[in-house]
Amino acid sequence: MLLPTPEDCGRVVADAVIASVTAAQAGGGPVALGLATGSSPLLAYREMQARHRAGEWTADGVRAFLLDEYVGLPAGHPESYREVIRRECTDELGLEVHGPDGSAADPVQAAVDYEAQLQAAGPVAVQVLGIGGNGHVGFNEPGSSLASRTRVKTLTERTRLDNARFFGDDVEAVPRHVITQGLATIREARHLVLVATGEAKAAAVADAVEGPVSASCPGSVLQLHPHVTVVVDDAAASRLARAEYYRYVLAHKLATQGW
Ligand code: F6R
């Protein structure tokens, strides 16, 4: 969906996530909600919180699952993804948060354990995703196997530089390693909702949506999933070859088509 502003994207991502969570709740039993960190989903999280306060949806039975986590930050570090997601999203919604243990003595085993936890709790009903300027989803950097499972990855220097803003602009403070859900793990979620805003994401969005399916652009794995909602503002959509058609589709969506 191509929308004019990041605020519009936040509203529509919240609509999509709440719709999928509500549908999953209707099935009874616990619901796994997959959450991404980073700047892209923040407006959606605010919107989800506001609608929750307004009583428009309930988080009953919902548990949050992280996409990824830094390796080596001590538990409780303010920039660990578990803390970020609690602060930005789940504390207000009252959700339990599960994620890889990035502070474990053996991160390789912690990744295996988290994959097992996801398998036991899943499938994730709806997974929120951002995309890196280099096309990564989760922290599956370019070159990641499209069949990958949760594992330790080494961040590119570009990603560390991009994320230095969360560490007082000190790139050396950004961990080199992460535990991330693999691309095959992410694909097991029932509904993927990717949000990207701003010109800096335009090339990655075009490669992911319209380029060849390739490990060189991990986001392109979305093309293999049967239920993906891509929500981008005009700036992030600026390199899409078929932008006009996507706008036409949105303008003529049938009421019964849903998400
Ligand atoms: C975060 C994550 C990353 C980010 C991506 C975009 O959990 O997995 O893939 O979604 O780096 O980050 P922002 O949104 O900060 O541009």
mmCIF file of all heavy atoms in Angstrom, residues 35-42 45 66-69 81 85 127-141 159 162-163 165-166 180 186 195-197 201, ligand 1:
data_model
loop_
_atom_site.group_PDB
_atom_site.id
_atom_site.type_symbol
_atom_site.label_atom_id
_atom_site.label_comp_id
_atom_site.label_asym_id
_atom_site.label_seq_id
_atom_site.Cartn_x
_atom_site.Cartn_y
_atom_site.Cartn_z
ATOM 1 N N LEU A 35 7.056 -8.920 16.694
ATOM 2 C CA LEU A 35 7.337 -7.483 16.679
ATOM 3 C C LEU A 35 8.767 -7.195 16.238
ATOM 4 O O LEU A 35 9.699 -7.907 16.621
ATOM 5 C CB LEU A 35 7.111 -6.896 18.075
ATOM 6 C CG LEU A 35 5.675 -6.975 18.590
ATOM 7 C CD1 LEU A 35 5.605 -6.510 20.036
ATOM 8 C CD2 LEU A 35 4.725 -6.156 17.715
ATOM 9 N N ALA A 36 8.921 -6.128 15.454
ATOM 10 C CA ALA A 36 10.242 -5.652 15.039
ATOM 11 C C ALA A 36 10.577 -4.419 15.870
ATOM 12 O O ALA A 36 9.680 -3.693 16.300
ATOM 13 C CB ALA A 36 10.229 -5.287 13.559
ATOM 14 N N THR A 37 11.858 -4.180 16.047
ATOM 15 C CA THR A 37 12.282 -2.919 16.669
ATOM 16 C C THR A 37 12.710 -1.956 15.562
ATOM 17 O O THR A 37 12.415 -2.192 14.398
ATOM 18 C CB THR A 37 13.432 -3.181 17.659
ATOM 19 O OG1 THR A 37 14.334 -4.067 17.039
ATOM 20 C CG2 THR A 37 12.920 -3.803 18.937
ATOM 21 N N GLY A 38 13.422 -0.889 15.917
ATOM 22 C CA GLY A 38 13.814 0.108 14.926
ATOM 23 C C GLY A 38 12.768 1.202 14.839
ATOM 24 O O GLY A 38 11.732 1.166 15.506
ATOM 25 N N SER A 39 13.037 2.176 13.994
ATOM 26 C CA SER A 39 12.172 3.357 13.907
ATOM 27 C C SER A 39 10.891 3.095 13.114
ATOM 28 O O SER A 39 9.844 3.699 13.407
ATOM 29 C CB SER A 39 12.913 4.502 13.208
ATOM 30 O OG SER A 39 14.147 4.719 13.817
ATOM 31 N N SER A 40 10.969 2.226 12.103
ATOM 32 C CA SER A 40 9.856 2.118 11.149
ATOM 33 C C SER A 40 8.507 1.803 11.777
ATOM 34 O O SER A 40 7.506 2.412 11.389
ATOM 35 C CB SER A 40 10.180 1.072 10.085
ATOM 36 O OG SER A 40 11.409 1.353 9.488
ATOM 37 N N PRO A 41 8.413 0.885 12.743
ATOM 38 C CA PRO A 41 7.073 0.550 13.253
ATOM 39 C C PRO A 41 6.588 1.439 14.402
ATOM 40 O O PRO A 41 5.492 1.211 14.916
ATOM 41 C CB PRO A 41 7.230 -0.893 13.756
ATOM 42 C CG PRO A 41 8.678 -1.207 13.759
ATOM 43 C CD PRO A 41 9.436 -0.020 13.301
ATOM 44 N N LEU A 42 7.388 2.432 14.802
ATOM 45 C CA LEU A 42 7.034 3.161 16.032
ATOM 46 C C LEU A 42 5.673 3.842 15.965
ATOM 47 O O LEU A 42 4.897 3.809 16.941
ATOM 48 C CB LEU A 42 8.115 4.196 16.376
ATOM 49 C CG LEU A 42 9.446 3.594 16.841
ATOM 50 C CD1 LEU A 42 10.452 4.697 17.147
ATOM 51 C CD2 LEU A 42 9.237 2.711 18.068
ATOM 52 N N TYR A 45 3.048 1.322 16.505
ATOM 53 C CA TYR A 45 2.930 0.905 17.905
ATOM 54 C C TYR A 45 2.163 1.966 18.717
ATOM 55 O O TYR A 45 1.326 1.638 19.551
ATOM 56 C CB TYR A 45 4.306 0.628 18.513
ATOM 57 C CG TYR A 45 5.033 -0.555 17.877
ATOM 58 C CD1 TYR A 45 6.419 -0.671 17.964
ATOM 59 C CD2 TYR A 45 4.339 -1.555 17.202
ATOM 60 C CE1 TYR A 45 7.083 -1.751 17.390
ATOM 61 C CE2 TYR A 45 4.994 -2.628 16.630
ATOM 62 C CZ TYR A 45 6.371 -2.721 16.712
ATOM 63 O OH TYR A 45 7.022 -3.794 16.141
ATOM 64 N N LEU A 66 9.997 -11.417 19.733
ATOM 65 C CA LEU A 66 10.937 -10.535 19.038
ATOM 66 C C LEU A 66 11.497 -11.201 17.783
ATOM 67 O O LEU A 66 11.632 -12.424 17.728
ATOM 68 C CB LEU A 66 12.119 -10.191 19.953
ATOM 69 C CG LEU A 66 11.814 -9.428 21.236
ATOM 70 C CD1 LEU A 66 13.117 -9.199 22.017
ATOM 71 C CD2 LEU A 66 11.154 -8.107 20.922
ATOM 72 N N LEU A 67 11.841 -10.349 16.832
ATOM 73 C CA LEU A 67 12.499 -10.825 15.613
ATOM 74 C C LEU A 67 13.961 -11.117 15.867
ATOM 75 O O LEU A 67 14.532 -12.028 15.270
ATOM 76 C CB LEU A 67 12.484 -9.682 14.592
ATOM 77 C CG LEU A 67 11.587 -9.676 13.414
ATOM 78 C CD1 LEU A 67 11.957 -8.509 12.532
ATOM 79 C CD2 LEU A 67 11.619 -10.981 12.653
ATOM 80 N N ASP A 68 14.564 -10.288 16.700
ATOM 81 C CA ASP A 68 16.020 -10.369 16.825
ATOM 82 C C ASP A 68 16.480 -9.688 18.104
ATOM 83 O O ASP A 68 15.699 -9.016 18.778
ATOM 84 C CB ASP A 68 16.717 -9.749 15.599
ATOM 85 C CG ASP A 68 16.030 -8.476 15.089
ATOM 86 O OD1 ASP A 68 15.338 -7.808 15.884
ATOM 87 O OD2 ASP A 68 16.182 -8.149 13.914
ATOM 88 N N GLU A 69 17.751 -9.884 18.407
ATOM 89 C CA GLU A 69 18.331 -9.302 19.628
ATOM 90 C C GLU A 69 19.835 -9.161 19.451
ATOM 91 O O GLU A 69 20.465 -9.985 18.770
ATOM 92 C CB GLU A 69 18.021 -10.227 20.822
ATOM 93 C CG GLU A 69 18.516 -9.759 22.167
ATOM 94 C CD GLU A 69 17.966 -8.386 22.572
ATOM 95 O OE1 GLU A 69 18.564 -7.385 22.128
ATOM 96 O OE2 GLU A 69 16.980 -8.319 23.327
ATOM 97 N N TYR A 81 16.911 -5.235 22.508
ATOM 98 C CA TYR A 81 15.628 -5.140 21.809
ATOM 99 C C TYR A 81 14.456 -5.499 22.715
ATOM 100 O O TYR A 81 13.348 -5.000 22.540
ATOM 101 C CB TYR A 81 15.666 -5.977 20.538
ATOM 102 C CG TYR A 81 16.341 -5.219 19.406
ATOM 103 C CD1 TYR A 81 16.520 -5.795 18.168
ATOM 104 C CD2 TYR A 81 16.777 -3.908 19.571
ATOM 105 C CE1 TYR A 81 17.121 -5.097 17.126
ATOM 106 C CE2 TYR A 81 17.383 -3.204 18.542
ATOM 107 C CZ TYR A 81 17.549 -3.811 17.322
ATOM 108 O OH TYR A 81 18.132 -3.110 16.293
ATOM 109 N N ILE A 85 11.408 -2.873 22.984
ATOM 110 C CA ILE A 85 10.031 -3.233 22.621
ATOM 111 C C ILE A 85 9.097 -3.079 23.817
ATOM 112 O O ILE A 85 7.946 -2.670 23.677
ATOM 113 C CB ILE A 85 9.974 -4.645 21.982
ATOM 114 C CG1 ILE A 85 8.929 -4.700 20.871
ATOM 115 C CG2 ILE A 85 9.677 -5.736 22.993
ATOM 116 C CD1 ILE A 85 9.267 -4.020 19.624
ATOM 117 N N GLN A 127 3.382 -10.884 11.811
ATOM 118 C CA GLN A 127 4.753 -10.451 12.081
ATOM 119 C C GLN A 127 4.971 -9.059 11.481
ATOM 120 O O GLN A 127 4.847 -8.872 10.272
ATOM 121 C CB GLN A 127 5.748 -11.432 11.452
ATOM 122 C CG GLN A 127 7.212 -11.011 11.556
ATOM 123 C CD GLN A 127 7.712 -10.989 12.995
ATOM 124 O OE1 GLN A 127 7.666 -11.999 13.686
ATOM 125 N NE2 GLN A 127 8.180 -9.821 13.459
ATOM 126 N N VAL A 128 5.304 -8.109 12.334
ATOM 127 C CA VAL A 128 5.667 -6.767 11.860
ATOM 128 C C VAL A 128 7.133 -6.798 11.440
ATOM 129 O O VAL A 128 7.982 -7.339 12.155
ATOM 130 C CB VAL A 128 5.474 -5.725 12.990
ATOM 131 C CG1 VAL A 128 5.898 -4.333 12.511
ATOM 132 C CG2 VAL A 128 4.031 -5.724 13.482
ATOM 133 N N LEU A 129 7.433 -6.193 10.295
ATOM 134 C CA LEU A 129 8.808 -6.153 9.787
ATOM 135 C C LEU A 129 9.173 -4.747 9.341
ATOM 136 O O LEU A 129 8.324 -4.025 8.779
ATOM 137 C CB LEU A 129 8.960 -7.057 8.555
ATOM 138 C CG LEU A 129 8.761 -8.555 8.725
ATOM 139 C CD1 LEU A 129 8.699 -9.231 7.352
ATOM 140 C CD2 LEU A 129 9.886 -9.152 9.559
ATOM 141 N N GLY A 130 10.429 -4.361 9.565
ATOM 142 C CA GLY A 130 11.005 -3.218 8.865
ATOM 143 C C GLY A 130 11.934 -3.776 7.805
ATOM 144 O O GLY A 130 12.038 -4.994 7.622
ATOM 145 N N ILE A 131 12.637 -2.894 7.114
ATOM 146 C CA ILE A 131 13.649 -3.372 6.152
ATOM 147 C C ILE A 131 14.851 -2.441 6.242
ATOM 148 O O ILE A 131 14.696 -1.220 6.383
ATOM 149 C CB ILE A 131 13.078 -3.448 4.710
ATOM 150 C CG1 ILE A 131 14.072 -4.114 3.753
ATOM 151 C CG2 ILE A 131 12.630 -2.072 4.212
ATOM 152 C CD1 ILE A 131 13.455 -4.538 2.413
ATOM 153 N N GLY A 132 16.044 -3.019 6.209
ATOM 154 C CA GLY A 132 17.249 -2.195 6.239
ATOM 155 C C GLY A 132 17.489 -1.555 4.877
ATOM 156 O O GLY A 132 16.973 -2.023 3.856
ATOM 157 N N GLY A 133 18.284 -0.524 4.853
ATOM 158 C CA GLY A 133 18.638 0.124 3.588
ATOM 159 C C GLY A 133 19.339 -0.848 2.656
ATOM 160 O O GLY A 133 19.354 -0.658 1.430
ATOM 161 N N ASN A 134 19.915 -1.901 3.197
ATOM 162 C CA ASN A 134 20.585 -2.921 2.370
ATOM 163 C C ASN A 134 19.689 -4.121 2.096
ATOM 164 O O ASN A 134 20.153 -5.146 1.588
ATOM 165 C CB ASN A 134 21.891 -3.386 3.035
ATOM 166 C CG ASN A 134 21.665 -4.098 4.358
ATOM 167 O OD1 ASN A 134 20.515 -4.279 4.780
ATOM 168 N ND2 ASN A 134 22.730 -4.493 5.022
ATOM 169 N N GLY A 135 18.412 -4.007 2.462
ATOM 170 C CA GLY A 135 17.462 -5.083 2.155
ATOM 171 C C GLY A 135 17.322 -6.123 3.249
ATOM 172 O O GLY A 135 16.563 -7.080 3.082
ATOM 173 N N HIS A 136 18.000 -5.945 4.391
ATOM 174 C CA HIS A 136 17.856 -6.995 5.424
ATOM 175 C C HIS A 136 16.461 -6.956 6.049
ATOM 176 O O HIS A 136 15.840 -5.908 6.153
ATOM 177 C CB HIS A 136 18.956 -6.911 6.490
ATOM 178 C CG HIS A 136 18.886 -5.752 7.435
ATOM 179 N ND1 HIS A 136 19.999 -5.028 7.831
ATOM 180 C CD2 HIS A 136 17.852 -5.190 8.103
ATOM 181 C CE1 HIS A 136 19.642 -4.102 8.682
ATOM 182 N NE2 HIS A 136 18.345 -4.163 8.861
ATOM 183 N N VAL A 137 15.976 -8.118 6.437
ATOM 184 C CA VAL A 137 14.778 -8.217 7.285
ATOM 185 C C VAL A 137 15.175 -9.061 8.487
ATOM 186 O O VAL A 137 15.946 -10.009 8.356
ATOM 187 C CB VAL A 137 13.520 -8.794 6.575
ATOM 188 C CG1 VAL A 137 12.969 -7.819 5.558
ATOM 189 C CG2 VAL A 137 13.803 -10.133 5.934
ATOM 190 N N GLY A 138 14.595 -8.734 9.670
ATOM 191 C CA GLY A 138 15.240 -9.204 10.871
ATOM 192 C C GLY A 138 16.668 -8.692 10.749
ATOM 193 O O GLY A 138 16.914 -7.620 10.185
ATOM 194 N N PHE A 139 17.625 -9.486 11.199
ATOM 195 C CA PHE A 139 19.008 -9.099 10.916
ATOM 196 C C PHE A 139 19.634 -10.095 9.969
ATOM 197 O O PHE A 139 20.792 -10.467 10.082
ATOM 198 C CB PHE A 139 19.805 -8.932 12.204
ATOM 199 C CG PHE A 139 19.668 -7.557 12.790
ATOM 200 C CD1 PHE A 139 19.401 -7.378 14.128
ATOM 201 C CD2 PHE A 139 19.812 -6.422 11.990
ATOM 202 C CE1 PHE A 139 19.277 -6.108 14.675
ATOM 203 C CE2 PHE A 139 19.688 -5.144 12.520
ATOM 204 C CZ PHE A 139 19.416 -4.992 13.870
ATOM 205 N N ASN A 140 18.839 -10.549 9.016
ATOM 206 C CA ASN A 140 19.349 -11.395 7.942
ATOM 207 C C ASN A 140 19.984 -10.464 6.910
ATOM 208 O O ASN A 140 19.291 -9.881 6.069
ATOM 209 C CB ASN A 140 18.205 -12.207 7.328
ATOM 210 C CG ASN A 140 17.626 -13.188 8.320
ATOM 211 O OD1 ASN A 140 18.210 -14.230 8.591
ATOM 212 N ND2 ASN A 140 16.503 -12.815 8.922
ATOM 213 N N GLU A 141 21.280 -10.324 7.021
ATOM 214 C CA GLU A 141 22.000 -9.418 6.137
ATOM 215 C C GLU A 141 22.104 -10.039 4.732
ATOM 216 O O GLU A 141 21.901 -11.251 4.570
ATOM 217 C CB GLU A 141 23.402 -9.156 6.707
ATOM 218 C CG GLU A 141 23.403 -8.450 8.063
ATOM 219 C CD GLU A 141 23.107 -6.952 7.989
ATOM 220 O OE1 GLU A 141 22.339 -6.516 7.100
ATOM 221 O OE2 GLU A 141 23.628 -6.218 8.843
ATOM 222 N N THR A 159 24.964 -1.568 8.682
ATOM 223 C CA THR A 159 23.898 -1.693 9.680
ATOM 224 C C THR A 159 24.360 -1.139 11.019
ATOM 225 O O THR A 159 23.603 -0.460 11.723
ATOM 226 C CB THR A 159 23.475 -3.177 9.813
ATOM 227 O OG1 THR A 159 23.013 -3.624 8.541
ATOM 228 C CG2 THR A 159 22.377 -3.357 10.846
ATOM 229 N N ASP A 162 24.134 2.530 10.723
ATOM 230 C CA ASP A 162 22.725 2.953 10.752
ATOM 231 C C ASP A 162 22.199 2.951 12.192
ATOM 232 O O ASP A 162 21.371 3.782 12.561
ATOM 233 C CB ASP A 162 21.847 1.997 9.924
ATOM 234 C CG ASP A 162 21.988 2.223 8.429
ATOM 235 O OD1 ASP A 162 22.586 3.244 8.031
ATOM 236 O OD2 ASP A 162 21.511 1.368 7.650
ATOM 237 N N ASN A 163 22.642 1.967 12.983
ATOM 238 C CA ASN A 163 22.092 1.817 14.335
ATOM 239 C C ASN A 163 22.875 2.575 15.395
ATOM 240 O O ASN A 163 22.465 2.601 16.568
ATOM 241 C CB ASN A 163 21.991 0.334 14.698
ATOM 242 C CG ASN A 163 20.868 -0.337 13.919
ATOM 243 O OD1 ASN A 163 20.209 0.297 13.096
ATOM 244 N ND2 ASN A 163 20.640 -1.601 14.173
ATOM 245 N N ARG A 165 22.899 5.540 15.886
ATOM 246 C CA ARG A 165 22.072 6.619 16.435
ATOM 247 C C ARG A 165 21.423 6.217 17.762
ATOM 248 O O ARG A 165 21.096 7.073 18.560
ATOM 249 C CB ARG A 165 21.015 7.068 15.413
ATOM 250 C CG ARG A 165 19.947 6.037 15.091
ATOM 251 C CD ARG A 165 19.129 6.522 13.891
ATOM 252 N NE ARG A 165 17.895 5.787 13.661
ATOM 253 C CZ ARG A 165 17.813 4.607 13.054
ATOM 254 N NH1 ARG A 165 18.917 4.006 12.626
ATOM 255 N NH2 ARG A 165 16.636 4.025 12.872
ATOM 256 N N PHE A 166 21.248 4.916 17.964
ATOM 257 C CA PHE A 166 20.661 4.459 19.234
ATOM 258 C C PHE A 166 21.721 4.299 20.329
ATOM 259 O O PHE A 166 21.407 3.972 21.462
ATOM 260 C CB PHE A 166 19.940 3.116 19.039
ATOM 261 C CG PHE A 166 18.799 3.196 18.048
ATOM 262 C CD1 PHE A 166 18.855 2.494 16.847
ATOM 263 C CD2 PHE A 166 17.682 3.974 18.320
ATOM 264 C CE1 PHE A 166 17.808 2.571 15.933
ATOM 265 C CE2 PHE A 166 16.632 4.039 17.415
ATOM 266 C CZ PHE A 166 16.695 3.350 16.218
ATOM 267 N N THR A 180 19.092 -13.606 15.225
ATOM 268 C CA THR A 180 17.917 -13.203 14.442
ATOM 269 C C THR A 180 17.108 -14.419 14.000
ATOM 270 O O THR A 180 17.678 -15.479 13.702
ATOM 271 C CB THR A 180 18.314 -12.383 13.195
ATOM 272 O OG1 THR A 180 17.127 -11.992 12.485
ATOM 273 C CG2 THR A 180 19.216 -13.155 12.228
ATOM 274 N N ILE A 186 10.841 -16.605 9.661
ATOM 275 C CA ILE A 186 9.946 -15.455 9.459
ATOM 276 C C ILE A 186 8.801 -15.831 8.513
ATOM 277 O O ILE A 186 7.649 -15.464 8.724
ATOM 278 C CB ILE A 186 10.755 -14.250 8.902
ATOM 279 C CG1 ILE A 186 11.718 -13.727 9.975
ATOM 280 C CG2 ILE A 186 9.829 -13.144 8.396
ATOM 281 C CD1 ILE A 186 12.732 -12.719 9.464
ATOM 282 N N VAL A 195 6.721 -2.471 6.961
ATOM 283 C CA VAL A 195 6.537 -1.020 6.862
ATOM 284 C C VAL A 195 7.889 -0.371 6.600
ATOM 285 O O VAL A 195 8.903 -0.739 7.194
ATOM 286 C CB VAL A 195 5.859 -0.449 8.143
ATOM 287 C CG1 VAL A 195 6.618 -0.795 9.409
ATOM 288 C CG2 VAL A 195 5.657 1.064 8.018
ATOM 289 N N ALA A 196 7.889 0.584 5.658
ATOM 290 C CA ALA A 196 9.111 1.329 5.335
ATOM 291 C C ALA A 196 8.724 2.747 4.962
ATOM 292 O O ALA A 196 7.745 2.951 4.237
ATOM 293 C CB ALA A 196 9.850 0.662 4.178
ATOM 294 N N THR A 197 9.487 3.685 5.471
ATOM 295 C CA THR A 197 9.214 5.083 5.148
ATOM 296 C C THR A 197 10.532 5.788 4.835
ATOM 297 O O THR A 197 11.583 5.416 5.367
ATOM 298 C CB THR A 197 8.511 5.810 6.324
ATOM 299 O OG1 THR A 197 9.342 5.722 7.482
ATOM 300 C CG2 THR A 197 7.157 5.199 6.640
ATOM 301 N N LYS A 201 14.925 4.163 2.092
ATOM 302 C CA LYS A 201 14.467 2.775 1.969
ATOM 303 C C LYS A 201 13.984 2.448 0.556
ATOM 304 O O LYS A 201 13.607 1.302 0.288
ATOM 305 C CB LYS A 201 13.331 2.493 2.972
ATOM 306 C CG LYS A 201 13.726 2.669 4.440
ATOM 307 C CD LYS A 201 14.729 1.604 4.869
ATOM 308 C CE LYS A 201 15.248 1.830 6.282
ATOM 309 N NZ LYS A 201 14.274 1.570 7.310
HETATM 310 C C1 F6R B 1 14.612 -4.712 13.871
HETATM 311 C C2 F6R B 1 15.005 -5.376 12.640
HETATM 312 C C3 F6R B 1 15.574 -4.639 11.483
HETATM 313 C C4 F6R B 1 14.932 -3.277 11.239
HETATM 314 C C5 F6R B 1 15.616 -2.573 10.085
HETATM 315 C C6 F6R B 1 15.019 -1.205 9.819
HETATM 316 O O1 F6R B 1 14.100 -5.641 14.803
HETATM 317 O O2 F6R B 1 14.892 -6.547 12.574
HETATM 318 O O3 F6R B 1 15.420 -5.425 10.322
HETATM 319 O O4 F6R B 1 13.566 -3.450 10.967
HETATM 320 O O5 F6R B 1 16.972 -2.440 10.376
HETATM 321 O O6 F6R B 1 15.308 -0.381 10.911
HETATM 322 P P1 F6R B 1 14.624 1.052 11.037
HETATM 323 O O7 F6R B 1 13.177 0.805 11.149
HETATM 324 O O8 F6R B 1 15.199 1.631 12.304
HETATM 325 O O9 F6R B 1 15.008 1.795 9.817
#
